[in-house]
Amino acid sequence: MPKKRLKAWLPTPEKLQESRIIRWFAPFLADPRLWHMNRASLGRGVYIGVLCAFFPLPGQMPLALIGALLFRANVPMAIALTWITNPLTTIPVFWLAYSVGAIILGEPIIGLRGIGVLLADLTLWIFGTGNPPNSNTFSFEVFGLGLVICGVISSIIAGLLFRFIWQWHVVADWRKRHGYNENAPRFSTQKGHKVRDSQKNGTDDFSI
């Protein structure tokens, strides 16, 4: 089953509770539906986690956790997928989002290096240790629109892909457990007198 592999990949409840952010929400995490490893709960976690991954740090995990609480999604899945945007992927992902917003609003597109500098300035500004990004080269409207569009589209694609992969694993597992062989000869292709007679008469006689 796919959930066996997911259990090995997703963070455990004990691991999550080590986070200070998770501990803030501890009184609301007693609902067992937040930890169920079924397709519905995990699927909602995929939608929420991928969508929240497109929000700038440091609000991704709290937003994913709040979304999981509201929609009764799998908490580990929702939180784990926020790490789609990590130190290696943040700049290209946010550059893509800014480019999408700039194309829609007709604004200039900023290069990857420019996005890296702007994100650093934005992070310092959020934590109160720096000045806001230069408004002449950076538009919050463009950035916000691009993030929303990319986040929604990516979330929908990821959710549908998860459902497809889950269903495929379920069918493959069922066939494996029941010894299903799609290459086995069909009944209609077997050469017996009943089949030949029924074909001549144009009827299907399955009597013994």
mmCIF file with all atom_site columns, all heavy atoms in Angstrom, residues 13 16-17 19 21-35 65-66 68-69 72-73 75-76 79:
data_model
loop_
_atom_site.group_PDB
_atom_site.id
_atom_site.type_symbol
_atom_site.label_atom_id
_atom_site.label_alt_id
_atom_site.label_comp_id
_atom_site.label_asym_id
_atom_site.label_entity_id
_atom_site.label_seq_id
_atom_site.pdbx_PDB_ins_code
_atom_site.Cartn_x
_atom_site.Cartn_y
_atom_site.Cartn_z
_atom_site.occupancy
_atom_site.B_iso_or_equiv
_atom_site.pdbx_formal_charge
_atom_site.auth_seq_id
_atom_site.auth_comp_id
_atom_site.auth_asym_id
_atom_site.auth_atom_id
_atom_site.pdbx_PDB_model_num
ATOM 1   N N   . PRO A 1 13 ? 4.362   12.219 14.488 1.00 0.00 ? 13 PRO A N   1
ATOM 2   C CA  . PRO A 1 13 ? 3.792   13.196 15.426 1.00 0.00 ? 13 PRO A CA  1
ATOM 3   C C   . PRO A 1 13 ? 4.788   13.617 16.503 1.00 0.00 ? 13 PRO A C   1
ATOM 4   O O   . PRO A 1 13 ? 4.815   14.789 16.909 1.00 0.00 ? 13 PRO A O   1
ATOM 5   C CB  . PRO A 1 13 ? 2.598   12.440 16.025 1.00 0.00 ? 13 PRO A CB  1
ATOM 6   C CG  . PRO A 1 13 ? 2.216   11.448 14.978 1.00 0.00 ? 13 PRO A CG  1
ATOM 7   C CD  . PRO A 1 13 ? 3.506   11.041 14.326 1.00 0.00 ? 13 PRO A CD  1
ATOM 8   N N   . LEU A 1 16 ? 7.152   16.151 14.987 1.00 0.00 ? 16 LEU A N   1
ATOM 9   C CA  . LEU A 1 16 ? 6.504   17.439 14.767 1.00 0.00 ? 16 LEU A CA  1
ATOM 10  C C   . LEU A 1 16 ? 6.332   18.217 16.065 1.00 0.00 ? 16 LEU A C   1
ATOM 11  O O   . LEU A 1 16 ? 6.451   19.441 16.090 1.00 0.00 ? 16 LEU A O   1
ATOM 12  C CB  . LEU A 1 16 ? 5.139   17.228 14.104 1.00 0.00 ? 16 LEU A CB  1
ATOM 13  C CG  . LEU A 1 16 ? 5.151   16.792 12.638 1.00 0.00 ? 16 LEU A CG  1
ATOM 14  C CD1 . LEU A 1 16 ? 3.736   16.512 12.164 1.00 0.00 ? 16 LEU A CD1 1
ATOM 15  C CD2 . LEU A 1 16 ? 5.795   17.858 11.762 1.00 0.00 ? 16 LEU A CD2 1
ATOM 16  N N   . GLN A 1 17 ? 6.051   17.497 17.145 1.00 0.00 ? 17 GLN A N   1
ATOM 17  C CA  . GLN A 1 17 ? 5.809   18.159 18.414 1.00 0.00 ? 17 GLN A CA  1
ATOM 18  C C   . GLN A 1 17 ? 7.067   18.785 18.997 1.00 0.00 ? 17 GLN A C   1
ATOM 19  O O   . GLN A 1 17 ? 7.000   19.544 19.966 1.00 0.00 ? 17 GLN A O   1
ATOM 20  C CB  . GLN A 1 17 ? 5.195   17.177 19.402 1.00 0.00 ? 17 GLN A CB  1
ATOM 21  C CG  . GLN A 1 17 ? 3.765   16.798 19.048 1.00 0.00 ? 17 GLN A CG  1
ATOM 22  C CD  . GLN A 1 17 ? 3.216   15.675 19.900 1.00 0.00 ? 17 GLN A CD  1
ATOM 23  O OE1 . GLN A 1 17 ? 3.884   15.193 20.813 1.00 0.00 ? 17 GLN A OE1 1
ATOM 24  N NE2 . GLN A 1 17 ? 1.996   15.247 19.617 1.00 0.00 ? 17 GLN A NE2 1
ATOM 25  N N   . SER A 1 19 ? 8.711   20.892 17.352 1.00 0.00 ? 19 SER A N   1
ATOM 26  C CA  . SER A 1 19 ? 8.687   22.255 16.824 1.00 0.00 ? 19 SER A CA  1
ATOM 27  C C   . SER A 1 19 ? 7.899   23.165 17.756 1.00 0.00 ? 19 SER A C   1
ATOM 28  O O   . SER A 1 19 ? 6.815   22.808 18.230 1.00 0.00 ? 19 SER A O   1
ATOM 29  C CB  . SER A 1 19 ? 8.056   22.264 15.427 1.00 0.00 ? 19 SER A CB  1
ATOM 30  O OG  . SER A 1 19 ? 7.814   23.579 14.999 1.00 0.00 ? 19 SER A OG  1
ATOM 31  N N   . ILE A 1 21 ? 6.374   25.867 16.918 1.00 0.00 ? 21 ILE A N   1
ATOM 32  C CA  . ILE A 1 21 ? 5.144   26.269 16.248 1.00 0.00 ? 21 ILE A CA  1
ATOM 33  C C   . ILE A 1 21 ? 4.053   25.229 16.457 1.00 0.00 ? 21 ILE A C   1
ATOM 34  O O   . ILE A 1 21 ? 2.895   25.560 16.737 1.00 0.00 ? 21 ILE A O   1
ATOM 35  C CB  . ILE A 1 21 ? 5.402   26.490 14.744 1.00 0.00 ? 21 ILE A CB  1
ATOM 36  C CG1 . ILE A 1 21 ? 6.371   27.653 14.544 1.00 0.00 ? 21 ILE A CG1 1
ATOM 37  C CG2 . ILE A 1 21 ? 4.092   26.746 14.002 1.00 0.00 ? 21 ILE A CG2 1
ATOM 38  C CD1 . ILE A 1 21 ? 6.758   27.883 13.101 1.00 0.00 ? 21 ILE A CD1 1
ATOM 39  N N   . ILE A 1 22 ? 4.419   23.951 16.347 1.00 0.00 ? 22 ILE A N   1
ATOM 40  C CA  . ILE A 1 22 ? 3.439   22.880 16.531 1.00 0.00 ? 22 ILE A CA  1
ATOM 41  C C   . ILE A 1 22 ? 2.936   22.860 17.966 1.00 0.00 ? 22 ILE A C   1
ATOM 42  O O   . ILE A 1 22 ? 1.746   22.628 18.222 1.00 0.00 ? 22 ILE A O   1
ATOM 43  C CB  . ILE A 1 22 ? 4.048   21.519 16.157 1.00 0.00 ? 22 ILE A CB  1
ATOM 44  C CG1 . ILE A 1 22 ? 4.541   21.537 14.705 1.00 0.00 ? 22 ILE A CG1 1
ATOM 45  C CG2 . ILE A 1 22 ? 3.031   20.407 16.353 1.00 0.00 ? 22 ILE A CG2 1
ATOM 46  C CD1 . ILE A 1 22 ? 3.468   21.774 13.690 1.00 0.00 ? 22 ILE A CD1 1
ATOM 47  N N   . ARG A 1 23 ? 3.816   23.092 18.901 1.00 0.00 ? 23 ARG A N   1
ATOM 48  C CA  . ARG A 1 23 ? 3.405   23.072 20.315 1.00 0.00 ? 23 ARG A CA  1
ATOM 49  C C   . ARG A 1 23 ? 2.381   24.149 20.612 1.00 0.00 ? 23 ARG A C   1
ATOM 50  O O   . ARG A 1 23 ? 1.547   23.989 21.515 1.00 0.00 ? 23 ARG A O   1
ATOM 51  C CB  . ARG A 1 23 ? 4.635   23.226 21.219 1.00 0.00 ? 23 ARG A CB  1
ATOM 52  C CG  . ARG A 1 23 ? 5.533   21.998 21.246 1.00 0.00 ? 23 ARG A CG  1
ATOM 53  C CD  . ARG A 1 23 ? 6.417   22.003 22.482 1.00 0.00 ? 23 ARG A CD  1
ATOM 54  N NE  . ARG A 1 23 ? 7.334   23.138 22.486 1.00 0.00 ? 23 ARG A NE  1
ATOM 55  C CZ  . ARG A 1 23 ? 8.570   23.108 21.993 1.00 0.00 ? 23 ARG A CZ  1
ATOM 56  N NH1 . ARG A 1 23 ? 9.033   21.980 21.453 1.00 0.00 ? 23 ARG A NH1 1
ATOM 57  N NH2 . ARG A 1 23 ? 9.347   24.166 22.029 1.00 0.00 ? 23 ARG A NH2 1
ATOM 58  N N   . TRP A 1 24 ? 2.420   25.261 19.893 1.00 0.00 ? 24 TRP A N   1
ATOM 59  C CA  . TRP A 1 24 ? 1.416   26.310 20.090 1.00 0.00 ? 24 TRP A CA  1
ATOM 60  C C   . TRP A 1 24 ? 0.009   25.807 19.786 1.00 0.00 ? 24 TRP A C   1
ATOM 61  O O   . TRP A 1 24 ? -0.965  26.252 20.384 1.00 0.00 ? 24 TRP A O   1
ATOM 62  C CB  . TRP A 1 24 ? 1.723   27.511 19.192 1.00 0.00 ? 24 TRP A CB  1
ATOM 63  C CG  . TRP A 1 24 ? 2.942   28.283 19.579 1.00 0.00 ? 24 TRP A CG  1
ATOM 64  C CD1 . TRP A 1 24 ? 3.614   28.226 20.772 1.00 0.00 ? 24 TRP A CD1 1
ATOM 65  C CD2 . TRP A 1 24 ? 3.645   29.243 18.773 1.00 0.00 ? 24 TRP A CD2 1
ATOM 66  N NE1 . TRP A 1 24 ? 4.697   29.067 20.757 1.00 0.00 ? 24 TRP A NE1 1
ATOM 67  C CE2 . TRP A 1 24 ? 4.737   29.719 19.546 1.00 0.00 ? 24 TRP A CE2 1
ATOM 68  C CE3 . TRP A 1 24 ? 3.467   29.739 17.487 1.00 0.00 ? 24 TRP A CE3 1
ATOM 69  C CZ2 . TRP A 1 24 ? 5.631   30.661 19.069 1.00 0.00 ? 24 TRP A CZ2 1
ATOM 70  C CZ3 . TRP A 1 24 ? 4.347   30.685 17.007 1.00 0.00 ? 24 TRP A CZ3 1
ATOM 71  C CH2 . TRP A 1 24 ? 5.421   31.148 17.785 1.00 0.00 ? 24 TRP A CH2 1
ATOM 72  N N   . PHE A 1 25 ? -0.081  24.876 18.849 1.00 0.00 ? 25 PHE A N   1
ATOM 73  C CA  . PHE A 1 25 ? -1.385  24.360 18.426 1.00 0.00 ? 25 PHE A CA  1
ATOM 74  C C   . PHE A 1 25 ? -1.716  23.020 19.083 1.00 0.00 ? 25 PHE A C   1
ATOM 75  O O   . PHE A 1 25 ? -2.692  22.376 18.684 1.00 0.00 ? 25 PHE A O   1
ATOM 76  C CB  . PHE A 1 25 ? -1.412  24.198 16.906 1.00 0.00 ? 25 PHE A CB  1
ATOM 77  C CG  . PHE A 1 25 ? -1.348  25.491 16.140 1.00 0.00 ? 25 PHE A CG  1
ATOM 78  C CD1 . PHE A 1 25 ? -0.125  26.052 15.807 1.00 0.00 ? 25 PHE A CD1 1
ATOM 79  C CD2 . PHE A 1 25 ? -2.507  26.149 15.769 1.00 0.00 ? 25 PHE A CD2 1
ATOM 80  C CE1 . PHE A 1 25 ? -0.057  27.241 15.095 1.00 0.00 ? 25 PHE A CE1 1
ATOM 81  C CE2 . PHE A 1 25 ? -2.450  27.338 15.058 1.00 0.00 ? 25 PHE A CE2 1
ATOM 82  C CZ  . PHE A 1 25 ? -1.224  27.891 14.721 1.00 0.00 ? 25 PHE A CZ  1
ATOM 83  N N   . ALA A 1 26 ? -0.923  22.599 20.038 1.00 0.00 ? 26 ALA A N   1
ATOM 84  C CA  . ALA A 1 26 ? -1.095  21.283 20.655 1.00 0.00 ? 26 ALA A CA  1
ATOM 85  C C   . ALA A 1 26 ? -2.516  21.012 21.138 1.00 0.00 ? 26 ALA A C   1
ATOM 86  O O   . ALA A 1 26 ? -3.031  19.895 20.945 1.00 0.00 ? 26 ALA A O   1
ATOM 87  C CB  . ALA A 1 26 ? -0.100  21.115 21.801 1.00 0.00 ? 26 ALA A CB  1
ATOM 88  N N   . PRO A 1 27 ? -3.220  21.968 21.774 1.00 0.00 ? 27 PRO A N   1
ATOM 89  C CA  . PRO A 1 27 ? -4.582  21.669 22.250 1.00 0.00 ? 27 PRO A CA  1
ATOM 90  C C   . PRO A 1 27 ? -5.561  21.324 21.138 1.00 0.00 ? 27 PRO A C   1
ATOM 91  O O   . PRO A 1 27 ? -6.601  20.715 21.402 1.00 0.00 ? 27 PRO A O   1
ATOM 92  C CB  . PRO A 1 27 ? -4.991  22.978 22.945 1.00 0.00 ? 27 PRO A CB  1
ATOM 93  C CG  . PRO A 1 27 ? -3.713  23.642 23.312 1.00 0.00 ? 27 PRO A CG  1
ATOM 94  C CD  . PRO A 1 27 ? -2.770  23.301 22.197 1.00 0.00 ? 27 PRO A CD  1
ATOM 95  N N   . PHE A 1 28 ? -5.245  21.707 19.887 1.00 0.00 ? 28 PHE A N   1
ATOM 96  C CA  . PHE A 1 28 ? -6.171  21.459 18.780 1.00 0.00 ? 28 PHE A CA  1
ATOM 97  C C   . PHE A 1 28 ? -5.814  20.215 17.979 1.00 0.00 ? 28 PHE A C   1
ATOM 98  O O   . PHE A 1 28 ? -6.511  19.884 17.013 1.00 0.00 ? 28 PHE A O   1
ATOM 99  C CB  . PHE A 1 28 ? -6.173  22.668 17.832 1.00 0.00 ? 28 PHE A CB  1
ATOM 100 C CG  . PHE A 1 28 ? -6.452  23.975 18.513 1.00 0.00 ? 28 PHE A CG  1
ATOM 101 C CD1 . PHE A 1 28 ? -5.407  24.831 18.841 1.00 0.00 ? 28 PHE A CD1 1
ATOM 102 C CD2 . PHE A 1 28 ? -7.742  24.346 18.835 1.00 0.00 ? 28 PHE A CD2 1
ATOM 103 C CE1 . PHE A 1 28 ? -5.647  26.038 19.466 1.00 0.00 ? 28 PHE A CE1 1
ATOM 104 C CE2 . PHE A 1 28 ? -7.999  25.559 19.461 1.00 0.00 ? 28 PHE A CE2 1
ATOM 105 C CZ  . PHE A 1 28 ? -6.946  26.409 19.794 1.00 0.00 ? 28 PHE A CZ  1
ATOM 106 N N   . LEU A 1 29 ? -4.749  19.528 18.354 1.00 0.00 ? 29 LEU A N   1
ATOM 107 C CA  . LEU A 1 29 ? -4.257  18.410 17.555 1.00 0.00 ? 29 LEU A CA  1
ATOM 108 C C   . LEU A 1 29 ? -4.674  17.045 18.086 1.00 0.00 ? 29 LEU A C   1
ATOM 109 O O   . LEU A 1 29 ? -4.129  16.030 17.666 1.00 0.00 ? 29 LEU A O   1
ATOM 110 C CB  . LEU A 1 29 ? -2.720  18.479 17.475 1.00 0.00 ? 29 LEU A CB  1
ATOM 111 C CG  . LEU A 1 29 ? -2.145  19.729 16.797 1.00 0.00 ? 29 LEU A CG  1
ATOM 112 C CD1 . LEU A 1 29 ? -0.621  19.717 16.850 1.00 0.00 ? 29 LEU A CD1 1
ATOM 113 C CD2 . LEU A 1 29 ? -2.627  19.827 15.355 1.00 0.00 ? 29 LEU A CD2 1
ATOM 114 N N   . ALA A 1 30 ? -5.627  17.014 18.992 1.00 0.00 ? 30 ALA A N   1
ATOM 115 C CA  . ALA A 1 30 ? -6.054  15.740 19.564 1.00 0.00 ? 30 ALA A CA  1
ATOM 116 C C   . ALA A 1 30 ? -7.002  14.973 18.644 1.00 0.00 ? 30 ALA A C   1
ATOM 117 O O   . ALA A 1 30 ? -7.197  13.770 18.827 1.00 0.00 ? 30 ALA A O   1
ATOM 118 C CB  . ALA A 1 30 ? -6.732  15.971 20.918 1.00 0.00 ? 30 ALA A CB  1
ATOM 119 N N   . ASP A 1 31 ? -7.571  15.645 17.667 1.00 0.00 ? 31 ASP A N   1
ATOM 120 C CA  . ASP A 1 31 ? -8.511  14.983 16.745 1.00 0.00 ? 31 ASP A CA  1
ATOM 121 C C   . ASP A 1 31 ? -7.763  13.929 15.926 1.00 0.00 ? 31 ASP A C   1
ATOM 122 O O   . ASP A 1 31 ? -6.828  14.261 15.183 1.00 0.00 ? 31 ASP A O   1
ATOM 123 C CB  . ASP A 1 31 ? -9.124  16.025 15.811 1.00 0.00 ? 31 ASP A CB  1
ATOM 124 C CG  . ASP A 1 31 ? -10.286 15.459 15.000 1.00 0.00 ? 31 ASP A CG  1
ATOM 125 O OD1 . ASP A 1 31 ? -10.360 14.222 14.856 1.00 0.00 ? 31 ASP A OD1 1
ATOM 126 O OD2 . ASP A 1 31 ? -11.108 16.254 14.515 1.00 0.00 ? 31 ASP A OD2 1
ATOM 127 N N   . PRO A 1 32 ? -8.142  12.652 16.033 1.00 0.00 ? 32 PRO A N   1
ATOM 128 C CA  . PRO A 1 32 ? -7.418  11.599 15.294 1.00 0.00 ? 32 PRO A CA  1
ATOM 129 C C   . PRO A 1 32 ? -7.510  11.750 13.785 1.00 0.00 ? 32 PRO A C   1
ATOM 130 O O   . PRO A 1 32 ? -6.683  11.209 13.054 1.00 0.00 ? 32 PRO A O   1
ATOM 131 C CB  . PRO A 1 32 ? -8.095  10.309 15.770 1.00 0.00 ? 32 PRO A CB  1
ATOM 132 C CG  . PRO A 1 32 ? -9.426  10.729 16.293 1.00 0.00 ? 32 PRO A CG  1
ATOM 133 C CD  . PRO A 1 32 ? -9.230  12.096 16.849 1.00 0.00 ? 32 PRO A CD  1
ATOM 134 N N   . ARG A 1 33 ? -8.516  12.488 13.286 1.00 0.00 ? 33 ARG A N   1
ATOM 135 C CA  . ARG A 1 33 ? -8.648  12.665 11.843 1.00 0.00 ? 33 ARG A CA  1
ATOM 136 C C   . ARG A 1 33 ? -7.480  13.450 11.257 1.00 0.00 ? 33 ARG A C   1
ATOM 137 O O   . ARG A 1 33 ? -7.209  13.361 10.059 1.00 0.00 ? 33 ARG A O   1
ATOM 138 C CB  . ARG A 1 33 ? -9.960  13.379 11.520 1.00 0.00 ? 33 ARG A CB  1
ATOM 139 C CG  . ARG A 1 33 ? -11.206 12.543 11.751 1.00 0.00 ? 33 ARG A CG  1
ATOM 140 C CD  . ARG A 1 33 ? -12.458 13.344 11.505 1.00 0.00 ? 33 ARG A CD  1
ATOM 141 N NE  . ARG A 1 33 ? -12.623 14.410 12.485 1.00 0.00 ? 33 ARG A NE  1
ATOM 142 C CZ  . ARG A 1 33 ? -13.639 15.286 12.462 1.00 0.00 ? 33 ARG A CZ  1
ATOM 143 N NH1 . ARG A 1 33 ? -14.545 15.218 11.497 1.00 0.00 ? 33 ARG A NH1 1
ATOM 144 N NH2 . ARG A 1 33 ? -13.733 16.218 13.395 1.00 0.00 ? 33 ARG A NH2 1
ATOM 145 N N   . LEU A 1 34 ? -6.787  14.193 12.101 1.00 0.00 ? 34 LEU A N   1
ATOM 146 C CA  . LEU A 1 34 ? -5.642  14.974 11.634 1.00 0.00 ? 34 LEU A CA  1
ATOM 147 C C   . LEU A 1 34 ? -4.420  14.102 11.358 1.00 0.00 ? 34 LEU A C   1
ATOM 148 O O   . LEU A 1 34 ? -3.439  14.580 10.790 1.00 0.00 ? 34 LEU A O   1
ATOM 149 C CB  . LEU A 1 34 ? -5.285  16.036 12.676 1.00 0.00 ? 34 LEU A CB  1
ATOM 150 C CG  . LEU A 1 34 ? -6.374  17.052 12.993 1.00 0.00 ? 34 LEU A CG  1
ATOM 151 C CD1 . LEU A 1 34 ? -5.937  17.941 14.162 1.00 0.00 ? 34 LEU A CD1 1
ATOM 152 C CD2 . LEU A 1 34 ? -6.685  17.904 11.770 1.00 0.00 ? 34 LEU A CD2 1
ATOM 153 N N   . TRP A 1 35 ? -4.484  12.842 11.762 1.00 0.00 ? 35 TRP A N   1
ATOM 154 C CA  . TRP A 1 35 ? -3.334  11.947 11.601 1.00 0.00 ? 35 TRP A CA  1
ATOM 155 C C   . TRP A 1 35 ? -3.680  10.699 10.797 1.00 0.00 ? 35 TRP A C   1
ATOM 156 O O   . TRP A 1 35 ? -2.833  9.825  10.631 1.00 0.00 ? 35 TRP A O   1
ATOM 157 C CB  . TRP A 1 35 ? -2.809  11.541 12.994 1.00 0.00 ? 35 TRP A CB  1
ATOM 158 C CG  . TRP A 1 35 ? -2.623  12.715 13.889 1.00 0.00 ? 35 TRP A CG  1
ATOM 159 C CD1 . TRP A 1 35 ? -3.503  13.187 14.821 1.00 0.00 ? 35 TRP A CD1 1
ATOM 160 C CD2 . TRP A 1 35 ? -1.501  13.602 13.932 1.00 0.00 ? 35 TRP A CD2 1
ATOM 161 N NE1 . TRP A 1 35 ? -3.000  14.302 15.435 1.00 0.00 ? 35 TRP A NE1 1
ATOM 162 C CE2 . TRP A 1 35 ? -1.759  14.579 14.916 1.00 0.00 ? 35 TRP A CE2 1
ATOM 163 C CE3 . TRP A 1 35 ? -0.284  13.655 13.240 1.00 0.00 ? 35 TRP A CE3 1
ATOM 164 C CZ2 . TRP A 1 35 ? -0.872  15.604 15.211 1.00 0.00 ? 35 TRP A CZ2 1
ATOM 165 C CZ3 . TRP A 1 35 ? 0.605   14.668 13.533 1.00 0.00 ? 35 TRP A CZ3 1
ATOM 166 C CH2 . TRP A 1 35 ? 0.314   15.625 14.507 1.00 0.00 ? 35 TRP A CH2 1
ATOM 167 N N   . LEU A 1 65 ? -0.630  24.304 8.927  1.00 0.00 ? 65 LEU A N   1
ATOM 168 C CA  . LEU A 1 65 ? -1.228  23.690 10.111 1.00 0.00 ? 65 LEU A CA  1
ATOM 169 C C   . LEU A 1 65 ? -2.655  24.184 10.327 1.00 0.00 ? 65 LEU A C   1
ATOM 170 O O   . LEU A 1 65 ? -3.566  23.396 10.620 1.00 0.00 ? 65 LEU A O   1
ATOM 171 C CB  . LEU A 1 65 ? -0.375  23.996 11.337 1.00 0.00 ? 65 LEU A CB  1
ATOM 172 C CG  . LEU A 1 65 ? -0.771  23.315 12.650 1.00 0.00 ? 65 LEU A CG  1
ATOM 173 C CD1 . LEU A 1 65 ? -0.885  21.815 12.457 1.00 0.00 ? 65 LEU A CD1 1
ATOM 174 C CD2 . LEU A 1 65 ? 0.253   23.635 13.730 1.00 0.00 ? 65 LEU A CD2 1
ATOM 175 N N   . ILE A 1 66 ? -2.873  25.485 10.150 1.00 0.00 ? 66 ILE A N   1
ATOM 176 C CA  . ILE A 1 66 ? -4.223  26.040 10.285 1.00 0.00 ? 66 ILE A CA  1
ATOM 177 C C   . ILE A 1 66 ? -5.143  25.451 9.211  1.00 0.00 ? 66 ILE A C   1
ATOM 178 O O   . ILE A 1 66 ? -6.298  25.095 9.483  1.00 0.00 ? 66 ILE A O   1
ATOM 179 C CB  . ILE A 1 66 ? -4.181  27.574 10.189 1.00 0.00 ? 66 ILE A CB  1
ATOM 180 C CG1 . ILE A 1 66 ? -3.461  28.154 11.414 1.00 0.00 ? 66 ILE A CG1 1
ATOM 181 C CG2 . ILE A 1 66 ? -5.591  28.147 10.086 1.00 0.00 ? 66 ILE A CG2 1
ATOM 182 C CD1 . ILE A 1 66 ? -3.207  29.648 11.322 1.00 0.00 ? 66 ILE A CD1 1
ATOM 183 N N   . ALA A 1 68 ? -4.835  22.534 7.758  1.00 0.00 ? 68 ALA A N   1
ATOM 184 C CA  . ALA A 1 68 ? -5.100  21.140 8.121  1.00 0.00 ? 68 ALA A CA  1
ATOM 185 C C   . ALA A 1 68 ? -6.158  21.057 9.213  1.00 0.00 ? 68 ALA A C   1
ATOM 186 O O   . ALA A 1 68 ? -7.016  20.158 9.196  1.00 0.00 ? 68 ALA A O   1
ATOM 187 C CB  . ALA A 1 68 ? -3.811  20.460 8.570  1.00 0.00 ? 68 ALA A CB  1
ATOM 188 N N   . LEU A 1 69 ? -6.116  21.969 10.167 1.00 0.00 ? 69 LEU A N   1
ATOM 189 C CA  . LEU A 1 69 ? -7.113  21.980 11.236 1.00 0.00 ? 69 LEU A CA  1
ATOM 190 C C   . LEU A 1 69 ? -8.497  22.315 10.694 1.00 0.00 ? 69 LEU A C   1
ATOM 191 O O   . LEU A 1 69 ? -9.494  21.699 11.092 1.00 0.00 ? 69 LEU A O   1
ATOM 192 C CB  . LEU A 1 69 ? -6.719  23.002 12.310 1.00 0.00 ? 69 LEU A CB  1
ATOM 193 C CG  . LEU A 1 69 ? -5.498  22.650 13.169 1.00 0.00 ? 69 LEU A CG  1
ATOM 194 C CD1 . LEU A 1 69 ? -5.096  23.842 14.036 1.00 0.00 ? 69 LEU A CD1 1
ATOM 195 C CD2 . LEU A 1 69 ? -5.784  21.443 14.052 1.00 0.00 ? 69 LEU A CD2 1
ATOM 196 N N   . ARG A 1 72 ? -9.528  19.314 8.241  1.00 0.00 ? 72 ARG A N   1
ATOM 197 C CA  . ARG A 1 72 ? -9.279  17.978 8.773  1.00 0.00 ? 72 ARG A CA  1
ATOM 198 C C   . ARG A 1 72 ? -8.389  17.170 7.818  1.00 0.00 ? 72 ARG A C   1
ATOM 199 O O   . ARG A 1 72 ? -8.705  16.040 7.445  1.00 0.00 ? 72 ARG A O   1
ATOM 200 C CB  . ARG A 1 72 ? -10.607 17.244 9.031  1.00 0.00 ? 72 ARG A CB  1
ATOM 201 C CG  . ARG A 1 72 ? -11.425 17.851 10.180 1.00 0.00 ? 72 ARG A CG  1
ATOM 202 C CD  . ARG A 1 72 ? -10.642 17.782 11.471 1.00 0.00 ? 72 ARG A CD  1
ATOM 203 N NE  . ARG A 1 72 ? -11.372 18.313 12.612 1.00 0.00 ? 72 ARG A NE  1
ATOM 204 C CZ  . ARG A 1 72 ? -11.210 19.539 13.114 1.00 0.00 ? 72 ARG A CZ  1
ATOM 205 N NH1 . ARG A 1 72 ? -10.324 20.368 12.548 1.00 0.00 ? 72 ARG A NH1 1
ATOM 206 N NH2 . ARG A 1 72 ? -11.876 19.933 14.157 1.00 0.00 ? 72 ARG A NH2 1
ATOM 207 N N   . ALA A 1 73 ? -7.282  17.790 7.439  1.00 0.00 ? 73 ALA A N   1
ATOM 208 C CA  . ALA A 1 73 ? -6.313  17.147 6.559  1.00 0.00 ? 73 ALA A CA  1
ATOM 209 C C   . ALA A 1 73 ? -5.206  16.515 7.384  1.00 0.00 ? 73 ALA A C   1
ATOM 210 O O   . ALA A 1 73 ? -5.033  16.826 8.574  1.00 0.00 ? 73 ALA A O   1
ATOM 211 C CB  . ALA A 1 73 ? -5.728  18.159 5.578  1.00 0.00 ? 73 ALA A CB  1
ATOM 212 N N   . VAL A 1 75 ? -1.974  16.239 9.004  1.00 0.00 ? 75 VAL A N   1
ATOM 213 C CA  . VAL A 1 75 ? -1.030  17.286 9.424  1.00 0.00 ? 75 VAL A CA  1
ATOM 214 C C   . VAL A 1 75 ? 0.390   17.024 8.920  1.00 0.00 ? 75 VAL A C   1
ATOM 215 O O   . VAL A 1 75 ? 1.026   17.931 8.367  1.00 0.00 ? 75 VAL A O   1
ATOM 216 C CB  . VAL A 1 75 ? -1.060  17.448 10.961 1.00 0.00 ? 75 VAL A CB  1
ATOM 217 C CG1 . VAL A 1 75 ? 0.084   18.353 11.437 1.00 0.00 ? 75 VAL A CG1 1
ATOM 218 C CG2 . VAL A 1 75 ? -2.391  18.031 11.406 1.00 0.00 ? 75 VAL A CG2 1
ATOM 219 N N   . PRO A 1 76 ? 0.950   15.822 9.089  1.00 0.00 ? 76 PRO A N   1
ATOM 220 C CA  . PRO A 1 76 ? 2.312   15.599 8.589  1.00 0.00 ? 76 PRO A CA  1
ATOM 221 C C   . PRO A 1 76 ? 2.467   15.858 7.090  1.00 0.00 ? 76 PRO A C   1
ATOM 222 O O   . PRO A 1 76 ? 3.475   16.427 6.652  1.00 0.00 ? 76 PRO A O   1
ATOM 223 C CB  . PRO A 1 76 ? 2.581   14.129 8.933  1.00 0.00 ? 76 PRO A CB  1
ATOM 224 C CG  . PRO A 1 76 ? 1.694   13.847 10.094 1.00 0.00 ? 76 PRO A CG  1
ATOM 225 C CD  . PRO A 1 76 ? 0.461   14.650 9.842  1.00 0.00 ? 76 PRO A CD  1
ATOM 226 N N   . ILE A 1 79 ? 2.355   19.732 6.360  1.00 0.00 ? 79 ILE A N   1
ATOM 227 C CA  . ILE A 1 79 ? 3.569   20.433 6.794  1.00 0.00 ? 79 ILE A CA  1
ATOM 228 C C   . ILE A 1 79 ? 4.778   20.020 5.965  1.00 0.00 ? 79 ILE A C   1
ATOM 229 O O   . ILE A 1 79 ? 5.604   20.847 5.579  1.00 0.00 ? 79 ILE A O   1
ATOM 230 C CB  . ILE A 1 79 ? 3.809   20.176 8.290  1.00 0.00 ? 79 ILE A CB  1
ATOM 231 C CG1 . ILE A 1 79 ? 2.715   20.867 9.121  1.00 0.00 ? 79 ILE A CG1 1
ATOM 232 C CG2 . ILE A 1 79 ? 5.193   20.668 8.710  1.00 0.00 ? 79 ILE A CG2 1
ATOM 233 C CD1 . ILE A 1 79 ? 2.829   20.644 10.595 1.00 0.00 ? 79 ILE A CD1 1
#
